[in-house]
Amino acid sequence: MQLKYLLLSSLLAIANAQKKNDVISRCREVGFHKFAEALEDNPAFVASINARSDTTVWAVPDEVIEQQFGNNTKLHKRQSTTALAGQAVHKPPGPAARKRASGTNAETLYQYLEDPAFVNLGCQWGGATTAQLNGPFVFDKGVIIGVVGFFTLPTLWSQTIQNDGRADQFYAAVVHAKLESFFDNTPACTVFAPIDTKKYHGHKLDPKKYIICNFLGHSPQLLPGTTYYSVDGTPIKITWGSDGIKRVNGIEFVQTDLITKNGVLHLIKKPFKW
């Protein structure tokens, strides 16, 4: 009888210890109280965290949440759901699964998240980069890392370029050519979009000259001296200028690495001369 009691007590102790080590309890323990409240308001998100045992959660400090959402006891559920959407990730799949999903940004995005200096899931109104604050703190399904602010998940190419607002003429050319779905849904695309200027009429551009498919050309992969080819066969050459500035077909970049759901968007100073 005494052995049975001791066994039951041990099991209860283990259960209580595991409960205290869940993501919500652990967030509270290490000081992320309002982030824990946001998790409580989003059971579906917590369920996705608990679905596996290799989850990384990026928790945001109380003062940042108060600044963004107000000093409420609980975050507005819709706001917190949107904010939390990008704050957890599982480890990337194995090689076979990666090959099947080779047209996505999943592996590249995970590399951004693992960078010791910053986290960047790219692009909404210019993207959101956030520095790591503290951690990692182990919980029963993975680790919690403190970051100084929320970051954003990639959006469709069309949403990204419209949210940025600097290349509306190029976006209009894509729509005019009935290529919006192609730019949004073709896997692994790299787009060089000229920013708006009075010197050209966007609808006269051929958008296919500005998009490379089957290549995720984040800026570190755009090697000077390399020539790529757009979907219509236009050569796209990366060079270093004498001033030390990287260019594409002799044109300066205005902004690099706006990450979209299916690739990456670079803004350039003007159209290609072809």
Side-chain angles (χ1 to χ4, degrees), residues 15 78 94 160 182:
R78 184 175 178 183
T160 301
F182 178 81

Side-chain angles (χ1 to χ4, degrees), residues 3 8 20 23 36 47 64 83 90 158 166 189 213:
L3 181 61
L8 180 59
K20 289 179 181 178
V23 64
V64 173
H90 299 301
S158 57
R166 286 176 285 179
C189 287
C213 294

Side-chain angles (χ1 to χ4, degrees), residues 135-154:
F137 307 105
V138 177
F139 71 104
D140 62 348
K141 297 296 183 178
V143 295
I144 299 163
I145 298 174
V147 290
V148 299
F150 288 104
F151 48 81
T152 56
L153 288 169

